Amino acid sequence: MSDSLPAGGDTPTATHTTRTRRMAEMAAVVSAATALAALLFGLFGPTGAGASRTPGAGPGVSTSPSPEPAETPSASPTATATGTPSSGPTPTPTAAPTPVEPSPPLPAGWRRVDAVALTASLAVPDGWKIKDDDALHVNWVSPDGRYVIGLKRDSTYGSTAQAASIGELAWYRKTAESKMLDLAHTAGPLEQGGKSAVRLDLDFRWEGESVPAHRIDLFVAGEQGQVYALLVEDKHVAGASALPGLFETARTHLRTDVR
């Protein structure tokens, strides 16, 4: 046998060596690719939804998206209502009762009387007697029959002092009914117990009498749509008359709408 190899041919040993070297090179390439993939994974992480990497947090650390910043308060102050909050329907205001004025001391020889049916009270001299007393009016007469103090309450001529004075004067002028002859009068405003009132002065003579008479009427409205009328009369004026003093004392102590 010849010891020489065929020209151009590879020996088994050379072939084995070449294959081993190629496999080592491929393993090195695969190893390098694997290392590169691991590096990329560590840097960027998975690309799935809901994960992100915060710079500086380190490999593989993911955080959820940062929340939106809270709204910044306004630098200018906000106006605040200063009214008291309503706690329900506004109550309807209730009218306060009319205060009752304290009565001054009664003069000597006078007494206070209550006209219950008329919801009023007033003062009359001692010894005077009641002549008429009903739901409409009441009169007191002096012992000699010369003077009269009376009180009436009605709404015949309206609910104001002015209307009542006009209506009453119109009736006085009806001679056939009032029996008042030669009537002359004066009228003017007055204050009574803090209310507007009307004073009516009458000069006349009674039918069948020759001596003149004088009467003073005071009209003041009440709280129930009715008008109070205080009258003081000198039925036979002759010389000096006590009428002015009687009227002033009676009206000073008059109280209306007494409950």
Side-chain angles (χ1 to χ4, degrees), residues 157 170-180 206-207:
Y157 304 113
W171 184 82
Y172 289 154
R173 293 186 181 282
K174 297 178 180 179
T175 303
E177 298 179 29
S178 68
K179 312 300 182 185
M180 301 168 74
W206 287 108
E207 186 179 69

Side-chain angles (χ1 to χ4, degrees), residues 86-169:
S86 174
S87 59
T90 303
T92 301
T94 304
T98 302
V100 178
E101 294 184 17
S103 298
L106 287 168
W110 287 70
R111 72 182 190 278
R112 175 167 293 281
V113 294
D114 295 320
V116 178
L118 306 181
T119 63
S121 66
L122 68 162
V124 297
D126 291 336
W128 288 36
K129 304 297 183 181
I130 291 179
K131 180 181 179 182
D132 306 292
D133 186 7
D134 55 35
L136 179 64
H137 71 294
V138 57
N139 293 326
W140 289 266
V141 181
S142 62
D144 60 3
R146 176 177 174 177
Y147 298 101
V148 178
I149 295 178
L151 184 64
K152 180 175 72 170
R153 185 191 69 161
D154 69 351
S155 57
T156 303
Y157 304 113
S159 60
T160 67
Q162 183 70 22
S165 65
I166 293 173
E168 195 77 4
L169 180 59

Side-chain angles (χ1 to χ4, degrees), residues 194-217:
K195 299 179 181 179
S196 297
V198 175
R199 171 174 171 164
L200 188 63
D201 284 76
L202 305 166
D203 288 297
F204 63 98
R205 63 180 178 86
W206 287 108
E207 186 179 69
E209 296 285 344
S210 59
V211 180
H214 188 82
R215 173 184 288 189
I216 304 174
D217 284 342

Side-chain angles (χ1 to χ4, degrees), residues 206-232:
W206 287 108
E207 186 179 69
E209 296 285 344
S210 59
V211 180
H214 188 82
R215 173 184 288 189
I216 304 174
D217 284 342
L218 175 70
F219 302 90
V220 57
E223 296 175 354
Q224 305 299 321
Q226 296 175 316
V227 178
Y228 291 87
L230 171 70
L231 71 89
V232 182

Side-chain angles (χ1 to χ4, degrees), residues 34-106:
T34 300
L36 178 61
L39 179 62
L40 292 175
F41 183 86
L43 290 174
F44 299 102
T47 58
S52 64
R53 180 178 179 278
T54 301
V61 179
S62 64
T63 60
S64 59
S66 300
E68 293 294 328
E71 183 179 356
T72 304
S74 172
S76 59
T78 302
T80 303
T82 58
T84 302
S86 174
S87 59
T90 303
T92 301
T94 304
T98 302
V100 178
E101 294 184 17
S103 298
L106 287 168

